[in-house]
Amino acid sequence: MIATSRPDGFDVALTLTPEAGSVWFVFNGPKLVLLADGTLPTGEAPLPAADVTPLGTLDGTSYLAAGLDGDLPGGYQSIPVRSGFGRLPEHHMGLAGYAAQVIEFARTHRYCGRCATPLSDTTHERSRRCPNCGLTAYPRVAPVAMVLIRRGQGRDTELLLARSPHFPPGMYSALAGFVEPSETLEAAARREVQEEVGVQITDLRYQFSQPWPFPHSLMLGFTAEYAGGDITPQPGEIDDARWFPVTDLPTLPAAFSISRALIDGAVAEALA
């Protein structure tokens, strides 16, 4: 299981009463609030909170999400959600990603986009409904097609990796881009490859997906074989793109990311 997925056995709930053992995912803006010792707040109401949203239960424990109401009290810290990897248990990281998305939904959908009436939560699904005009809003999910391109066989396999201007120095990753309205995943994958590096691909194959809550993406991972063309990085989007031997790769994304999972899988296959 990739780390940002909700844990197996988690029961989603739309109504929950906070209790002494409840675990809270409280957000100070986009950052996750932790106690000074690095653990999640627990209890009936451990912090002043707004937009309190039930998440569900796991092994008898209730989980809730909320936005911090006011300043961060003493004895707490706030960290970027992705910084929790390696600090929080894996099942808590999966729920943190879920919590971040539902709180972002609550924060950005306070009023009806059609008539500006305040929205209210529904009780039968994760949505908000306008009591005036009946418009129903759902949490946004933005699909992203990610493609790892390969050429060669065995230990001679090479991977086409690229770096964005926003990446840390020296880091390269697979190619990725958002799916456009009325576009299939396969068409988006081929379009993004053509736009970002100018090459043609064949044998496009879906591998797996990963929820990516920064703030509301769904990453869909593909592999493909190189079919032709010279690498031409897209100005403003790609700083550099090149072929790397599987035996001599650059700095890669963190182990919990779908890009790293695609790359690690390709390397393992090539060196098997």
Side-chain angles (χ1 to χ4, degrees):
M1 181 178 66
I2 298 176
T4 49
S5 297
R6 293 203 298 266
D8 291 338
F10 184 75
D11 294 321
V12 175
L14 300 176
T15 57
L16 280 176
T17 301
E19 53 193 23
S22 295
V23 176
W24 291 77
F25 296 90
V26 180
F27 292 88
N28 183 15
K31 293 186 175 182
L32 179 65
V33 175
L34 302 176
L35 289 163
D37 64 3
T39 60
L40 292 165
T42 60
E44 292 185 26
L47 287 162
D51 297 322
V52 175
T53 304
L55 299 176
T57 60
L58 178 65
D59 297 331
T61 299
S62 299
Y63 291 84
L64 300 101
L68 181 66
D69 189 8
D71 296 329
L72 187 69
Y76 291 89
Q77 59 177 313
S78 57
I79 65 170
V81 177
R82 71 178 65 200
S83 297
F85 284 100
R87 300 175 62 176
L88 294 175
E90 183 173 320
H91 68 282
H92 278 171
M93 277 309 304
L95 293 175
Y98 178 36
Q101 293 182 82
V102 298
I103 288 302
E104 172 74 4
F105 172 60
R107 185 183 68 81
T108 57
H109 290 79
R110 301 187 188 280
Y111 300 96
C112 177
R114 179 186 290 159
C115 69
T117 300
L119 298 175
S120 57
D121 290 324
T122 60
T123 58
H124 65 287
E125 62 182 0
R126 186 74 71 192
S127 64
R128 309 199 84 187
R129 189 174 188 276
C130 177
N132 181 51
C133 71
L135 179 71
T136 300
Y138 297 90
R140 176 183 170 189
V141 177
V144 176
M146 174 168 280
V147 189
L148 178 65
I149 305 170
R150 306 177 296 193
R151 71 178 182 184
Q153 298 291 326
R155 297 183 66 84
D156 294 327
T157 299
E158 294 179 309
L159 307 180
L160 201 168
L161 303 177
R163 56 173 285 101
S164 158
H166 310 295
F167 283 2
M171 191 181 86
Y172 286 73
S173 180
L175 303 171
F178 286 100
V179 179
E180 297 287 346
S182 194
E183 188 176 44
T184 67
L185 296 175
E186 294 81 3
R190 291 187 175 90
R191 174 183 54 77
E192 285 294 336
V193 167
Q194 181 63 42
E195 290 177 354
E196 292 192 345
V197 295
V199 304
Q200 292 78 51
I201 57 175
T202 187
D203 197 22
L204 181 69
R205 296 186 180 186
Y206 171 77
Q207 299 298 325
F208 44 76
S209 63
Q210 181 185 32
W212 196 246
F214 307 112
H216 41 57
S217 296
L218 176 63
M219 311 296 289
L220 300 128
F222 293 84
T223 57
E225 299 297 325
Y226 171 70
D230 296 326
I231 295 176
T232 307
Q234 183 180 14
E237 292 291 328
I238 302 296
D239 267 356
D240 185 38
R242 63 181 78 170
W243 291 103
F244 290 93
V246 292
T247 54
D248 187 21
L249 294 174
T251 301
L252 300 174
F256 59 78
S257 68
I258 187 171
S259 176
R260 181 61 175 272
L262 287 168
I263 294 168
D264 287 350
V267 171
E269 181 180 340
L271 300 181

